[in-house]
């Protein structure tokens, strides 16, 4: 059985890493087809998880837009599909690489397994374009690997047949466990390296398209204003490489002393920085899943989320990007809410998601 695993951005690489090893170590001919939608941020992950791409399409351009990115991806991926004639193609999540990967497989009539299927906000424009990507990929997917009961329910409500939906958990938890098992470096040493080991800090990440510009400006202004009155607190911001994100970050936070800008961190280092944070503010998808496992209160800088599990579990709050609301929640975390939100909780999986995916692929071959 020959499987093509298509991925191209940092979070996808993290979340397919254990699937790749699980299939490879169990006799499946797996090819890592890297689109290269990301470059530096992706290579960091490939090195850490010891993945050697079979293909690297090196597609990234500075300031790429959705249309040209999608167009270039589909043309290049089609060549790979025609050459390799995969029995199955796997994609993970909701990026442009996922949409283009699934579409290329579909054009070549190759069955698609969608990892992290069934996440929905119900708003096509938020997150943009990810909500549409998930739904579009869903319609051409052969098997939906859904992380949670809520994701299964979403898919059933959209009319997908029950026998094509498998609840498997989220591979992000497999990746966290893999790191714990294989990488022994001391998390404290990593924090020392960045000179944040003895500081009380909020960890911030922000990169979503719908937050570019004013929403991000308002959020950073609120954080700055709050921190100016709370002198023991720092803000640590490992910045996405997107120039638009960096421009806004510098515009609002330059000149403020207790900010620490970092380059995108290698995954292990990022976990160390998460682990040492007082709390987390983020618009990231993956971070919303990891934070509950580490027992870190998380303020979600978005108006909605496709990951309501952490909110239901009480470890995350949906805050949005309005100046007053951001400050309101930062103030609330000065009180009892902080302890309530600090409970370690993991609604996203048990670390065996990749194994379940492999078992399904075996069984599907037997059926055929
Ligand atoms: C993409 C995904 C988003 C995901 C995010 C993870 C789409 C439409 N968006 O958004 O769902 O949450 O990745 O981080 O697929 N850049 C670099 N080096 C890198 C990576 C990015 O320089 O290694 C810069 C480039 O200028 C690039 C820009 O960032 O053009 C934007 O990258 P792109 O992949 O288009 O969008 P993201 O915001 O990263
Ligand atoms: N991450 C990382 N280094 C960083 C910031 C994030 O390794 O400097 C990891 C994080 O732990 C999570 C993933 O990258 O697993 C999230 O990626 P991102 O926020 O870019 O994308 P999203 O999850 O929102 O699609």
């Amino acid at each position: 059985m020959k499987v093509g695993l298509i991925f191209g951005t940092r979070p996808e690489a993290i979340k397919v890493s254990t699937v790749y090893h699980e299939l490879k170590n169990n006799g499946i001919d797996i090819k890592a087809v890297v689109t290269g939608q990301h470059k530096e941020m992706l290579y960091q992950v490939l090195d850490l998880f010891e993945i050697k791409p079979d293909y690297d399409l090196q597609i990234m351009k500075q300031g790429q837009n959705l249309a040209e990115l999608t167009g270039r991806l589909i043309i290049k991926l089609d060549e790979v599909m025609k050459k390799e004639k995969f029995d199955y193609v796997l994609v993970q999540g909701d990026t442009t690489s996922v949409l283009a990967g699934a579409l290329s497989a579909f054009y070549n009539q190759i069955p698609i397994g969608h990892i992290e299927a069934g996440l929905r906000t119900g708003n096509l424009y938020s997150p943009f374009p990810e909500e549409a990507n998930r739904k579009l990929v869903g319609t051409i997917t052969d098997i939906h690997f859904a992380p949670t009961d809520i994701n299964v329910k979403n898919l059933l409500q959209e009319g997908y047949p029950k026998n094509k939906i498998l609840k498997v958990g989220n591979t992000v938890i497999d990746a966290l466990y893999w790191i714990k098992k294989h990488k022994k470096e001391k998390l404290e040493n990593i924090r020392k390296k960045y000179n944040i080991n003895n500081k009380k800090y909020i960890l911030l990440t922000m990169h979503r398209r719908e937050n570019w510009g004013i929403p991000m400006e308002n959020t950073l202004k609120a954080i700055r204003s709050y921190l100016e009155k709370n002198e023991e607190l720092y803000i640590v911001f490992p910045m996405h490489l997107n120039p638009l994100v960096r421009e806004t970050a510098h515009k609002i936070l330059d000149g403020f002393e207790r900010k620490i800008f970092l380059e995108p961190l290698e995954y292990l280092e990022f976990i160390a920085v998460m682990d040492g944070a007082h709390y987390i503010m983020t618009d990231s998808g993956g971070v919303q899943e990891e934070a509950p496992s580490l027992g870190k209160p998380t303020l979600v800088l978005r108006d909605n989320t496709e990951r309501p599990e952490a909110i239901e579990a009480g470890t995350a709050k949906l805050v949005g990007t309005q100046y007053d609301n951001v400050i309101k929640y930062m103030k609330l975390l000065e009180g009892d809410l902080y302890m309530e939100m600090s409970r370690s909780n993991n609604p996203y999986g048990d670390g065996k998601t990749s194994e379940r995916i492999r078992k399904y692929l075996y069984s599907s071959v037997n059926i055929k």
Side-chain angles (χ1 to χ4, degrees):
M1 181 187 208
K2 196 199 256 189
V3 175
L5 182 64
I6 304 181
F7 59 100
T9 64
R10 167 173 68 193
E12 290 162 77
I14 291 167
K15 289 175 172 179
V16 300
S17 60
T18 54
V19 177
Y20 174 81
H21 288 296
E22 175 73 23
L23 298 192
K24 202 175 178 68
N25 295 339
N26 287 283
I28 292 183
D29 182 6
I30 173 112
K31 303 273 185 234
V33 183
V34 168
T35 68
Q37 177 178 337
H38 281 177
K39 200 158 71 181
E40 303 86 345
M41 286 165 58
L42 174 81
Y43 292 147
Q44 287 181 319
V45 184
L46 297 181
D47 288 347
L48 178 72
F49 285 101
E50 297 158 19
I51 298 176
K52 270 189 106 133
D54 295 281
Y55 291 88
D56 181 358
L57 306 181
Q58 300 196 350
I59 222 88
M60 198 200 88
K61 284 187 183 164
Q62 287 302 328
Q64 58 205 4
N65 74 45
L66 292 176
E68 46 130 2
L69 175 64
T70 312
R72 284 187 289 124
L73 277 171
I74 290 177
I75 290 167
K76 286 218 172 186
L77 284 167
D78 190 59
E79 289 166 16
V80 180
M81 298 296 137
K82 293 207 159 39
K83 183 165 168 230
E84 291 288 351
K85 300 189 170 43
F86 295 119
D87 299 302
Y88 242 104
V89 156
L90 296 178
V91 291
Q92 191 286 334
D94 52 22
T95 68
T96 298
S97 286
V98 176
L99 177 65
L103 208 48
S104 315
F106 177 69
Y107 287 160
N108 287 277
Q109 300 195 10
I110 302 169
I112 298 159
H114 186 202
I115 305 169
E116 202 183 72
L119 279 68
R120 299 287 187 269
T121 61
N123 180 345
L124 265 189
Y125 286 88
S126 178
F128 176 85
E130 291 85 355
E131 176 80 354
N133 287 349
R134 298 169 190 140
K135 296 190 81 167
L136 292 165
V137 170
T139 56
I140 51 176
T141 285
D142 182 60
I143 174 76
H144 308 263
F145 296 114
T148 68
D149 288 329
I150 291 176
N151 307 144
V152 170
K153 204 170 130 212
N154 290 339
L155 290 164
L156 289 173
Q157 271 172 357
E158 288 176 17
Y160 293 109
K162 212 173 171 177
N163 66 347
K164 290 290 176 188
I165 304 167
L166 204 60
K167 182 186 153 188
V168 291
N170 197 310
T171 52
V172 77
I173 305 298
D174 299 30
L176 269 176
Y177 287 179
W178 191 91
I179 287 287
K180 279 189 191 158
K181 193 169 158 199
H182 293 265
K183 303 283 161 182
K184 303 268 184 236
E185 290 97 316
K186 290 267 180 300
L187 300 187
E188 183 64 18
N189 285 344
I190 292 171
R191 291 192 285 267
K192 270 189 198 148
K193 174 177 160 188
Y194 291 107
N195 193 21
I196 52 175
N197 53 312
N198 49 12
K199 293 189 169 70
K200 187 172 176 185
Y201 63 89
I202 299 166
L203 172 65
L204 170 72
T205 80
M206 228 176 159
H207 73 280
R208 303 231 81 83
R209 275 177 159 69
E210 63 276 13
N211 279 342
W212 290 352
I214 301 295
M216 191 171 161
E217 281 192 19
N218 287 341
T219 307
L220 297 184
K221 279 180 188 162
I223 292 172
R224 179 172 180 158
S225 149
Y226 178 84
L227 259 61
E228 273 163 355
K229 296 183 192 83
N230 288 270
E231 290 183 1
E232 84 289 7
L233 267 177
Y234 287 72
I235 186 88
V236 174
F237 188 2
M239 260 191 284
H240 191 289
L241 289 176
N242 188 332
L244 288 172
V245 169
R246 297 183 155 232
E247 205 180 290
T248 306
H250 283 293
K251 180 172 158 194
I252 307 297
L253 291 175
D254 276 358
F256 176 61
E257 271 187 15
R258 276 173 288 113
K259 59 118 190 357
I260 301 176
F261 285 155
L262 300 176
E263 289 306 307
L265 293 169
E266 199 227 47
Y267 186 52
L268 176 68
E269 296 194 333
F270 188 72
I271 290 170
V273 175
M274 274 176 103
D275 195 47
H278 182 46
Y279 60 88
I280 296 172
M281 300 178 78
T282 189
D283 67 1
S284 161
V287 176
Q288 287 179 66
E289 292 156 350
E290 292 155 348
S293 297
L294 299 170
K296 292 292 159 184
T298 301
L299 302 184
V300 180
L301 303 168
R302 295 172 48 179
D303 296 329
N304 52 36
T305 180
E306 58 289 292
R307 294 165 170 93
E309 294 84 356
I311 292 181
E312 283 172 13
T315 57
K317 294 277 175 213
L318 202 55
V319 170
T321 54
Q322 303 274 341
Y323 182 92
D324 290 344
N325 229 26
V326 173
I327 295 209
K328 180 180 119 188
Y329 276 96
M330 294 180 87
K331 281 188 177 156
L332 280 172
L333 280 179
E334 292 166 11
D336 293 344
L337 184 66
Y338 183 82
M339 284 315 288
E340 279 170 38
M341 289 178 71
S342 299
R343 281 188 307 269
S344 175
N345 186 300
N346 175 10
Y348 294 108
D350 58 2
K352 296 199 166 102
T353 300
S354 305
E355 190 182 318
R356 292 191 188 99
I357 292 171
R358 180 201 22 107
K359 285 185 176 157
Y360 174 84
L361 291 177
Y362 273 148
S363 69
S364 73
V365 170
N366 293 339
I367 292 163
K368 275 177 193 158

